[in-house]
Amino acid sequence: KIRRPGVEAMRDKAYLKALLDWNRWANEVTYAKVAELPREEVHKKRPTMLESIFVSLHHLLNVDDIWLHHMQGLKHDYAGVRVTRIEDFEALRAAREAMDAKLDAYLDSLAEADLEEIVDYELVCGKAGSMSRAFCLTHLVLHGSYHRGWISDMFGQADALQPTTDLPVFER
């Protein structure tokens, strides 16, 4: 694989901690804005692969849990990434907060050398791959940002002001 300049910084524990801190904050801001929407807007089926704001939030939780299992060398029991195991919004919010705390604790438990270890994974579609633990954590943050963008689009469809979760806003 091609190594790019600056990749070493992406494997720095302090850098990953900052990314997870921003991700947690962005999740909190997003859930707070979603809580202001009428329930029917949160669950309304929309022309998107993840169907609704609620399913999108659940997807992010599922994927974080799947990748945490991969990084810990454990099997998960997800048959798909759009499965909704939690039906209540506040219970989903609590599960999100618990997952963000788990990810923080997981990173805290790692030594710098652990970040370089290669994690083998199999996606729910059956495709397998390998990447460093640091890149797995980076993927979770980038994946969350990507799908929070989808959620912001759905806010526009609901004629509501979307959450502002940009990194510079977090850093202010």
Side-chain angles (χ1 to χ4, degrees), residues 21-70:
D21 287 348
W22 169 68
N23 193 60
R24 181 184 352 88
W25 170 83
N27 285 330
E28 290 168 0
V29 169
T30 300
Y31 271 83
K33 289 298 280 184
V34 171
E36 295 173 6
L37 292 172
R39 184 182 190 286
E40 59 272 8
E41 288 295 344
V42 175
H43 292 273
K44 184 177 181 177
K45 290 202 183 261
R46 300 183 190 280
T48 179
M49 190 176 99
L50 293 176
E51 298 179 5
S52 69
I53 292 171
F54 189 83
V55 173
S56 296
L57 292 170
H58 216 298
H59 168 77
L60 289 174
L61 179 66
N62 293 350
V63 169
D64 284 2
D65 195 32
I66 288 167
W67 279 97
L68 185 57
H69 277 77
H70 291 320

Side-chain angles (χ1 to χ4, degrees), residues 99-148:
M99 176 56 68
D100 287 337
K102 275 187 201 178
L103 290 170
D104 284 342
Y106 177 71
L107 178 60
D108 288 345
S109 76
L110 300 174
E112 291 281 343
D114 296 332
L115 298 172
E116 293 291 328
E117 288 181 356
I118 299 300
V119 173
D120 296 321
Y121 61 87
E122 183 177 325
L123 302 174
V124 293
C125 66
K127 293 182 180 176
S130 302
M131 65 181 164
S132 72
R133 185 171 279 109
F135 269 41
C136 292
L137 289 164
T138 301
H139 165 66
L140 291 182
V141 173
L142 295 175
H143 178 258
S145 179
Y146 175 72
H147 282 294
R148 282 190 300 271

Side-chain angles (χ1 to χ4, degrees), residues 148-167:
R148 282 190 300 271
W150 286 26
I151 292 167
S152 287
D153 179 65
M154 287 185 261
F155 266 77
Q157 293 174 35
D159 200 27
L161 185 62
Q162 64 266 55
T164 303
T165 59
D166 292 339
L167 188 57

